[in-house]
Every structure is written in C-alpha cells, then in structure tokens.
Amino acid sequence: MAEIRLTRVEQGHTKIRNVPIAVTPEGFWCCPSPVVFQKTLKTQNPLNKPKPSSPPPPPPPKITVHKKQTPVTERKPTLTPSRSGIISDDQRNFITDTPGLSAPVAAERAPRPKIENLPRKVAIEFGEPGTSDMRVLLLGKQGFCVKLSVHKNVLVENSRYFADKLSEQQSSLSSLEIDDCEDVEIYVETVGLMYCKEMKQRLIKQSVSRVLRILKVAELLGFNSCMQSCLEYLEAVPWVGEEEEEKVVSSVLRLQNEGLGVTPVLKRVSSDISKSPKDTLPQIIDLVLKSNEERGRREMKSVVLKLLRENNSLPSYAGSADICNETLYNSCKSCLDSLLSLFRLAAEPGFGDKSMNSKDPVVKQIALESDNLSWLVEILVDRQAADEFALVWAGQQELATLHSKLPIVSRYHVSCITARLFVGIGRGELLPSKDTRQLLLQTWLEPLINDYSWLQHGCRSFDRKVVEEGIGRTILTLPLEEQQSILLSWLGSFLKAGDNCPNLQRAFEVWWRRTFIRPYSETQGNLFQSDSSMTPHS
C-alpha cells in the first residue's frame, strides 16, 4: 500500500482549486474517463518542455450542486441531477472529446525542477466540502493530485485500511494524504463505490480490465463488499481471449485466503470433480470416431488434433502423456479389429454379386475406419509415439492378403495409412527398428503401388511428391542388399505402370551410386577387421 500521512490541516504547499463535479442521482460522484485523467496528468507534468507563459485565465465561478442533504448513514438516493445545467465559459475548457470533466491548469512550467520540490496542485476535486468531515488527498506521479471530500464514518465502515488509520486515538484528524498512488483514477472510483448501494449495478458497463483494477485497489483498502461485487461481476461476464482469462484467474487466485467467494469464478477454469483425463479423453475420441456426419467429423478432427498439438508443447503432468497415448492405441486397436472384420466380409465369395444397397454400407464403413486410423496415426506422429503403431501395422499380414481380394474402389483408403507411415519415417518423425521398417515395406509397399492411381485421384490430402520421397528414404535406411531387392522389384512395376506407380527415381540413383560409383566394399574388410579387434575374446 502507498505511504499514508495523517495531518490535521493541509500542507501549505498544496494548492487546491475547486472545479465542477458531477453527482449521480444516488449521491455518488462520477469518476472522469481515463482520457481526462491522462490529459490532466499531462498538463500537470512540469518536466515537459517549457512553453511561452500566458496570463492565467480568470477563476471560474464556483458551481454548487443544490440538493437536499441526506444523512450519510442512511445513504438514500438523492434527487440531485447528474449535471448542473449552468456551464460557464471557463467550464467549457474542461470538456474533452470523450465524456468527462477536466480542470484547467496554468500554463507556466518551471524549467525542470526536481519532482520532490514541485508544488502539488489539485487537478480534480470530488465531493462536497461543505457537508464532509474528511479530506483525502491522493498524490500521484509528478505532482498530480486529487482531493476527495468524504465522510469519516463511511471510510471506517467500508475499509479496514482506513479504519486502522483513523483509530480512536486519531479520531479528530480531518485530513489524510496518501503518497505515490499508482492508480489515482481507480482509487477515486473505488472510494466513490463506498457511497453506492448497488455496486454490482455500477460495474455492469465496465470492462473486465477496469474491474480488475478496481478489485486490486479494493484489496489494498480492505473493501470487502467491493471485492465481492467485483467477483460476482467476473463470474458472470464473458472473458475475451486467453490473455484476459489469465489476468482474471491470477487476480482471483490472489484472494483465496481473504475469505471471499472466489470458487464460483475459478470453477470456470477448474473442476472439483475427480474425473480424470483418462475418462474424458476416450469419450471425446470415441465420439469423433463414431460420427457419420462428414463435415462435423472433419472439423472436429481438425480441432482435436490442433488442441492435442498444443498440449504437446507443454510439460506433461500426472502421467497425462501416457494416458493420452494409451487412449490412442486402444482406439487404434478397435479400428483395426473393425477394419479386419470388414475386409473379411468384403472378401467373401459372392460379395461382389450382391446389390449396391448391400455392398455400399460395407464400403463406406471401410473408408470410415481407414480415415479414423489415418487421423489417429497423425496424432501419434505429432506426439512422437507412432513407433509402436508402425510395428502393429507392419504385422497386419492377413489384412494385406485380403487387400488384394477386394475391388480397388473398396480398399484404396487403407493405403493412405501406409503412405503416412512412410512419410513419417522419411522425415524422421518416427524411428522404428530396422526389422520393422523392412517388414513394413515387405507387407505394404506392393498394396500401396497397386492402389497408387486411385490414391492420386481419390484422396484430397494425398501429395505424390511427399509420399514418393518418404518411400524412397525409408528404403534407403535398409542394408544395401535390401535396398537392391526392393528397388529392382519397384523398377519392374514402374516400367509397366508408369505414372500409376510411385516414382522412386531419386532413391534408385542413391542406391546406384552407393553400389557402382562409390562402393564401400574396398574398405569393408578393414572395417570388419576393426570391429572384430574391438570385440572382447573369451
């Protein structure tokens, strides 16, 4: 809290100037807009470049708001109009482009005096000095000063801070001076709220950021009813953007030990239900996988994938990464079991002779399960957890065997899964073992080549150059003998099918150079000899 000094009279160097005030029907002063405070502060700043002096304007006539006085303890709304109907020429100088009033300030400025030696001038005054028994001077930066004419019993009743300062031993004090106020504007607003019966109604049209500022000052003053009203406002109003949400949560968390009702606000971002992500995430994944509505399904797959990617950039907590991976692999197993059953059904003798009404649901379900697996593989690759799936997919010999028995229109979606794994290996996104890579090529490269023409025309996300680069790089990770066997087999297919076969020319050239142009066989004997010399002998 800012330093506070207790004085019986104002210090002589503080020069007060009365300015018009605006009073609401309930007797609560209106705080000027932020622009007015900023402009007033700017005009009060003596460190600005000096300007030619000009005669000070004549003092404005004092405007008194006539109203029937109501005892402060009752705090009943008064019938005072919100503004006085009389506006003098001098008062017009206070009107700015935005609603609010500002006091004129003398144009003379001393040439860069020290701040601590500056005279303090009241730029804005609130309240009615004639009916108040207490004056509070808020001293802001660079000599900016605001005078509040208030009532001692109102401060003591609403603020623990003022109650401590205005103890019985100092009950006769009539003036408080508070130095170094960081937020004079909000300080005025918060003290003014002590005169307001329905604080929540006063906060309705405020912004979240301004209410957070009020909450901070109310906390410093120990103004509990104001803090509670701010919390009720924050619980009900929408928070726009992550930055605003973080500010609200951090401000509210700070009040947890104040005995206030912060739980309703925090419930928006946290749950007291002991339901773990292990129960929630499978439900979300399952809902997406079982959806048959194409557009909603596609959009939610994109959203969930994006959110899981964001989670990947954060440190895992309470084994959340393991829970997510376990959920994904359980879903993969379910999709694989379903896909294998559908392939068995579609490969049965006589299935092709059935009517379209009988075949279409099976074909659509194969496409759906294939798309599900492709999505799950994408998530696993993003999470750097797809090595195990590569092994599982490489071991699907029965599925690969049934693949050749189905019409190409029914089966080609499955090859999208194979293509994504090759791309991931080629990019280093997953690092399966040599045996897994070899088995994957042995099991699925031929089915992929057979479906290649349909993949190019039937899959919107299929990128031929990316897939061909991934296949080629995967092949080149194998021993040279395996590279030769696979690439020679590919060459026969490519010479027959042309563009309907993956173009692995780059991988073929690398293999060729390794074999014929830069063979390492000359040094192979030396390498083997070196390896054997490093092997311990029994």
Side-chain angles (χ1 to χ4, degrees), residues 410-446:
S410 304
R411 74 191 189 202
Y412 76 95
H413 294 285
V414 171
S415 292
C416 291
I417 303 167
T418 305
R420 182 62 185 94
L421 289 173
F422 284 143
V423 170
I425 296 172
R427 290 174 173 174
E429 295 172 332
L430 59 154
L431 304 172
S433 66
K434 180 198 71 173
D435 292 340
T436 300
R437 300 193 304 272
Q438 184 175 345
L439 183 60
L440 184 65
L441 286 162
Q442 179 182 333
T443 305
W444 287 108
L445 180 57
E446 185 178 348

Side-chain angles (χ1 to χ4, degrees), residues 176-241:
L176 298 178
E177 193 173 286
I178 303 177
D179 290 334
D180 300 326
C181 289
E182 294 183 0
D183 202 342
V184 175
E185 173 193 351
I186 298 301
Y187 207 112
V188 172
E189 185 82 4
T190 307
V191 173
L193 286 170
M194 295 180 186
Y195 287 81
C196 185
K197 289 183 178 180
E198 298 293 337
M199 279 183 280
K200 188 176 179 181
Q201 298 301 318
R202 294 290 307 177
L203 297 175
I204 285 179
K205 293 185 180 180
Q206 304 282 13
S207 65
V208 171
S209 60
R210 189 174 181 87
V211 170
L212 289 176
R213 290 164 64 192
I214 294 173
L215 179 62
K216 181 178 180 181
V217 174
E219 181 187 0
L220 295 174
L221 293 178
F223 188 3
N224 282 1
S225 59
C226 181
M227 286 191 281
Q228 192 61 51
S229 295
C230 290
L231 289 173
E232 291 174 4
Y233 167 92
L234 294 171
E235 190 277 331
V237 75
W239 308 335
V240 180

Side-chain angles (χ1 to χ4, degrees), residues 247-529:
K247 289 180 179 178
V248 172
V249 173
S250 62
S251 298
V252 173
L253 285 173
R254 196 175 60 242
L255 303 176
Q256 280 185 311
N257 298 326
E258 297 290 332
L260 299 170
V262 300
T263 303
V265 181
L266 295 178
K267 275 190 173 181
R268 191 182 294 189
V269 295
S270 63
S271 174
D272 54 2
I273 301 175
S274 59
K275 193 171 184 180
S276 68
K278 188 174 183 179
D279 300 320
T280 307
L281 185 60
Q283 182 180 2
I284 296 172
I285 299 291
D286 193 55
L287 285 171
V288 175
L289 293 178
K290 290 183 178 179
S291 171
N292 290 316
E293 205 287 314
E294 184 178 355
R295 180 175 179 182
R297 169 190 168 85
R298 183 174 63 251
E299 290 186 2
M300 286 314 301
K301 280 186 173 181
S302 176
V303 168
V304 173
L305 179 60
K306 181 188 72 172
L307 294 175
L308 288 173
R309 281 174 176 169
E310 291 178 4
N311 283 9
N312 293 345
S313 62
L314 301 174
S316 61
Y317 61 94
S320 59
D322 294 336
I323 292 172
C324 184
N325 292 344
E326 180 183 350
T327 299
L328 293 170
Y329 273 105
N330 287 338
S331 299
C332 286
K333 184 179 184 304
S334 176
C335 290
L336 275 172
D337 291 343
S338 176
L339 193 61
L340 183 58
S341 297
L342 292 167
F343 265 52
R344 288 169 178 165
L345 180 61
E348 289 179 353
F351 179 82
D353 299 330
K354 292 183 178 181
S355 65
M356 293 299 294
N357 291 336
S358 300
K359 292 190 297 184
D360 274 356
V362 176
V363 173
K364 288 181 179 179
Q365 194 63 29
I366 289 175
L368 186 69
E369 296 297 351
S370 301
D371 185 58
N372 285 340
L373 273 173
S374 295
W375 179 59
L376 292 170
V377 169
E378 192 68 42
I379 297 174
L380 289 170
V381 170
D382 278 343
R383 299 182 62 81
Q384 300 177 356
D387 289 9
E388 184 179 342
F389 183 83
L391 177 60
V392 171
W393 188 248
Q396 297 296 313
Q397 278 83 11
E398 182 182 359
L399 190 67
T401 301
L402 293 172
H403 179 276
S404 61
K405 298 179 181 180
L406 268 62
I408 190 171
V409 68
S410 304
R411 74 191 189 202
Y412 76 95
H413 294 285
V414 171
S415 292
C416 291
I417 303 167
T418 305
R420 182 62 185 94
L421 289 173
F422 284 143
V423 170
I425 296 172
R427 290 174 173 174
E429 295 172 332
L430 59 154
L431 304 172
S433 66
K434 180 198 71 173
D435 292 340
T436 300
R437 300 193 304 272
Q438 184 175 345
L439 183 60
L440 184 65
L441 286 162
Q442 179 182 333
T443 305
W444 287 108
L445 180 57
E446 185 178 348
L448 174 63
I449 292 174
N450 294 336
D451 293 344
Y452 207 72
S453 176
W454 277 81
L455 286 171
Q456 295 180 71
H457 301 97
C459 293
R460 291 179 297 178
S461 60
F462 187 82
D463 189 326
R464 174 171 182 161
K465 290 184 178 180
V466 172
V467 172
E468 289 171 352
E469 183 175 324
I471 298 172
R473 289 183 175 181
T474 302
I475 294 171
L476 294 173
T477 63
L478 299 179
L480 193 62
E481 294 83 357
E482 298 297 332
Q483 297 175 35
Q484 176 175 322
S485 174
I486 295 172
L487 287 171
L488 290 180
S489 175
W490 160 81
L491 181 60
S493 300
F494 183 71
L495 292 174
K496 292 178 182 178
D499 287 342
N500 292 328
C501 179
N503 189 339
L504 305 181
Q505 177 182 338
R506 290 185 180 181
F508 185 82
E509 291 176 359
V510 173
W511 164 78
W512 179 281
R513 293 188 183 98
R514 288 176 178 177
T515 303
F516 299 109
I517 300 178
R518 295 194 305 271
Y520 293 92
S521 57
E522 297 174 0
T523 59
Q524 194 174 45
N526 296 331
L527 288 173
F528 287 156
Q529 184 177 359

